[in-house]
């Protein structure tokens, strides 16, 4: 098994550099691939900021690539949860943070939008720190 960096995934998905696309495609067609959580987080960011993809486009793209039989993730069910919450309006990074914190009783943030959108998603209460 090999691991890949964000740029391998982005070249494979966007095909915006022919040579790099061909090399990344060969990797995706011939290797068992591990994708780290940090690479997933960065890939979403690159697709959103550099390529201006919308959340639904990003979620569909990620589901397609993670559904390949040769792709391995640290915690596939966690990633499914992150994508589902993102599809329902939670920021991708916030969804990732919250999904990885579900074992905690509280998640503190100053982000009002995050607090509002996370309400009722998990037993982990998302709230402002005590003042």
């Amino acid at each position: 098994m090999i691991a890949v960096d964000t740029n391998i995934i982005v070249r494979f998905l966007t095909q915006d550099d022919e040579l790099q696309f061909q090399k990344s495609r060969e990797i995706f067609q011939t290797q068992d691939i591990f994708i780290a959580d940090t690479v997933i987080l960065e890939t979403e960011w690159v697709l959103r900021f550099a390529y201006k993809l919308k959340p639904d486009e990003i979620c569909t793209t990620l589901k397609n690539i993670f559904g390949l039989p040769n792709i391995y993730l640290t915690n596939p069910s966690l990633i499914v949860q992150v994508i589902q919450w993102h599809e329902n309006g939670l920021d991708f990074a916030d969804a990732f943070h919250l999904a990885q914190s579900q074992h905690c009783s509280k998640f503190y943030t100053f982000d009002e939008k995050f607090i509002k959108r996370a309400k009722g998603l998990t037993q982990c209460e998302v709230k402002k720190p005590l003042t």
Side-chain angles (χ1 to χ4, degrees), residues 31-124:
Q31 301 289 321
D32 284 337
I33 301 169
F34 171 74
I35 302 176
D37 290 348
T38 50
V39 171
I40 295 169
L41 192 59
E42 187 178 32
T43 298
E44 184 277 336
W45 186 88
V46 169
L47 293 175
R48 181 168 32 103
F49 278 103
Y51 293 89
K52 307 298 184 205
L53 294 183
K54 302 289 184 218
D56 61 321
E57 296 170 311
I58 292 169
C59 289
T60 298
T61 299
L62 293 178
K63 284 191 279 189
N64 287 339
I65 201 164
F66 299 154
L68 296 173
N70 60 323
I71 300 299
Y72 298 87
L73 309 173
T74 301
N75 186 341
S77 60
L78 181 125
I79 301 304
V80 167
Q81 183 67 79
V82 170
I83 291 172
Q84 180 184 10
W85 285 346
H86 186 54
E87 287 174 323
N88 290 321
L90 204 56
D91 174 79
F92 192 86
D94 289 343
F96 220 117
H97 304 325
L98 184 59
Q100 289 190 321
S101 303
Q102 290 184 75
H103 64 284
C104 299
S105 61
K106 292 180 178 62
F107 186 105
Y108 288 119
T109 181
F110 292 113
D111 186 340
E112 295 282 346
K113 189 175 171 183
F114 181 18
I115 293 168
K116 184 176 180 179
R117 291 189 172 169
K119 190 169 185 79
L121 292 179
T122 178
Q123 296 295 333
C124 180

